[in-house]
Amino acid sequence: MSSPSSAFELVAHRGNSAEFPENSLPAVASALQLGLRFVEIDVQLSQDLVPVVMHDHTLMRTAGRDGTVFDMTAAQLSQLDVAEPQRFGGRYAGTHIPLLGEFVALLANHPQARGFVEIKSESLERFGHEQVVSRVLAALAPCLARCIVISFDFEAIERARAAGAPSVGWVLPQWDAATRSACSRLAPDFVFVDHEIFPADE
């Protein structure tokens, strides 16, 4: 039997989002400096089709303003303050939305670490699977071997694998016969699932 130290790994969800604004470079840097080997981030596409590190497609919750990431260029988004004042007050004023390329550069300085990069459904719906997946993989290229492309969207993961992503993960929306069949067919490297959706006998 494996010891607990080898059987379990912590994943920094949106970086160290308990102590820093989520999905920010300071949040990711903190998680890596704490020694975590796995960090998870979310990716949306900007108006000019540049991958940015952002969970919501709307700006209100983290930036405190109306609009969406689809309304602004990457250059404009990178100037937005996403310091989450409702959680941190003015402590992290000046924290900006990172480009995915900036996350890759940070990860490159921590060769022991791996990144889970979640492609968000809103961008897939807005720009199409081929456009989004190709843009994300291109941005990840310098560290693609240490990144796991994940999504709730099955087609996105399927396309990422076909396009050369060495590791993929599927976030299961439910657990039923169709999901089991699709999961078996794709054989993702990682599966994310809420254990409460499993029937008692499984």
Side-chain angles (χ1 to χ4, degrees), residues 15-196:
N16 180 4
S17 56
E19 299 180 298
F20 294 87
E22 65 172 57
N23 276 318
S24 67
L25 291 181
V28 173
S30 174
L32 295 173
Q33 289 161 7
L34 288 169
L36 273 75
R37 295 199 312 122
F38 294 95
V39 62
E40 183 270 352
I41 61 163
D42 305 288
V43 175
Q44 302 276 8
L45 256 60
S46 65
Q47 183 186 67
D48 52 346
L49 305 177
V50 176
V52 297
V53 182
M54 185 83 170
H55 180 273
D56 303 358
H57 73 292
T58 56
L59 300 172
M60 181 57 69
R61 184 173 63 86
T62 55
R65 57 172 290 169
D66 292 328
T68 75
V69 293
F70 311 140
D71 301 325
M72 304 179 74
T73 66
Q76 291 170 328
L77 289 170
S78 67
Q79 297 303 308
L80 286 186
D81 193 315
V82 285
E84 294 188 70
Q86 72 278 18
R87 286 208 293 150
F88 299 112
R91 184 177 176 188
Y92 297 115
T95 300
H96 302 302
I97 298 173
L99 305 181
L100 182 55
E102 292 178 290
F103 166 78
V104 168
L106 183 56
L107 191 67
N109 292 324
H110 297 267
Q112 82 289 353
R114 300 187 72 187
F116 289 101
V117 178
E118 182 179 343
I119 298 177
K120 303 304 292 182
S121 299
E122 298 91 350
S123 286
L124 293 165
E125 293 168 5
R126 178 64 177 257
F127 299 112
H129 289 75
E130 182 176 358
Q131 185 83 265
V132 175
V133 171
S134 64
R135 296 275 178 164
V136 169
L137 291 185
L140 292 177
C143 278
L144 186 57
R146 291 197 287 116
C147 290
I148 304 99
V149 179
I150 69 175
S151 184
F152 282 86
D153 188 288
F154 181 82
E155 184 181 345
I157 298 310
E158 202 171 35
R159 283 179 175 269
R161 169 160 281 173
S167 297
V168 297
W170 190 20
V171 188
L172 301 186
Q174 65 270 330
W175 187 246
D176 53 25
T179 304
R180 287 195 297 272
S181 176
C183 200
S184 177
R185 185 172 72 255
L186 179 65
D189 303 279
F190 293 86
V191 174
F192 297 83
V193 62
D194 182 343
H195 69 93
E196 293 183 352

